[in-house]
Amino acid sequence: MNDVPSDLRVSVRQTAPLLGDVPANRAEIEREVRAVRDGVGADLVIFPELALTGYSLAHRAREMGVDLSGAPPLDLPEDGPTALLGVVERGEDHLTYNSAVAARGRRILAVHRKRYLPTYGTFDEGRIFAPGRRSPRPFPVAPGWKAGILVCEDFWHPALSYLYALQEADVLLVLAAA
C-alpha cells in the first residue's frame, strides 16, 4: 500500500432520500457537504446508494438519470470535501446505471457503475439498470490516499476488491441503500 502521510477523515451521512424528489435530495446533500466543510472538516463525505433519487424507483429510473460526462449534478463548494453519492446515470451508450460518483467542487473525480445487480426477492435491479462494464480504477480521494468504489452487491463479489488491491487502493468505499 501507499505511504500515507496523514489520517483520512471521513463523515458518513446516512440520509433518507425522498423517493423521486431530486431537488430536495440535492439540496440536502449540498447542505450536508457544506456543514462538514464548516464543522468537522472531513476529507470525504459519503452518502447512500441512489442518494440523489431514492432507491425504489422502478421504471421511473431512466427519467431521473443524470449525465456524468461534464460537471457533477450538484453545486459543491470548491474548498469542500470530496462527496461520494449514489445517482442514476444516463450513460453515453443510452443505458441507465446505478452509479456512485465522487466529486469535489465542479469536478467529477471518479464514477463506478454497479456491476452486480440483484434480481431476487424484493430486488429487481437487473430489469431497471444495466450492469457496469468498466474496469474498476482507484482515484485520489485525499492527499496520499487512493480509494476504490463499490456499490452494495458489488462488495459480495471479491473479484472487484481484488482488482482494487492490485492497483494499490488504500481503502474501499462501499455505498448501500438505507
Side-chain angles (χ1 to χ4, degrees):
M1 294 295 157
N2 296 333
D3 292 326
V4 180
S6 64
D7 293 337
L8 177 64
R9 297 167 300 152
V10 179
S11 178
V12 177
R13 303 298 186 162
Q14 189 59 53
T15 59
L18 299 172
L19 187 61
D21 193 344
V22 172
N25 296 331
R26 178 183 293 123
E28 180 181 22
I29 292 165
E30 291 169 354
R31 193 171 42 251
E32 292 288 334
V33 170
R34 284 177 174 77
V36 167
R37 177 198 64 191
D38 298 339
V40 297
D43 301 302
L44 172 67
V45 185
I46 300 177
F47 294 92
E49 174 183 14
L50 296 174
L52 195 58
T53 58
Y55 183 79
S56 299
L57 294 170
H59 294 287
R60 295 178 24 198
R62 177 76 183 158
E63 70 191 58
M64 303 191 130
V66 294
D67 176 8
L68 296 178
S69 63
L74 301 159
D75 182 21
L76 300 173
E78 289 296 329
D79 62 343
T82 297
L84 178 62
L85 64 138
V87 301
V88 174
E89 178 191 358
R90 270 194 315 259
E92 67 283 349
D93 54 6
H94 306 289
L95 296 175
T96 304
Y97 297 95
N98 178 343
S99 296
V101 60
R104 185 180 310 120
R106 299 299 299 153
R107 294 180 323 276
I108 292 178
L109 305 175
V111 175
H112 172 76
R113 293 173 172 170
K114 188 173 183 179
R115 180 170 296 232
Y116 296 100
L117 304 170
T119 304
Y120 52 81
T122 61
F123 301 105
D124 205 16
E125 288 187 35
R127 294 177 192 264
I128 299 164
F129 300 109
R133 294 180 299 258
R134 296 177 182 160
S135 295
R137 299 272 184 250
F139 73 101
V141 67
W145 288 87
K146 285 172 44 177
I149 304 170
L150 299 174
V151 180
C152 200
E153 181 88 9
D154 290 344
F155 189 61
W156 292 95
H157 301 269
L160 295 176
S161 298
Y162 179 71
L163 290 172
Y164 279 126
L166 288 174
Q167 298 174 75
E168 298 182 343
D170 299 301
V171 62
L172 284 179
L173 307 172
V174 182
L175 303 186

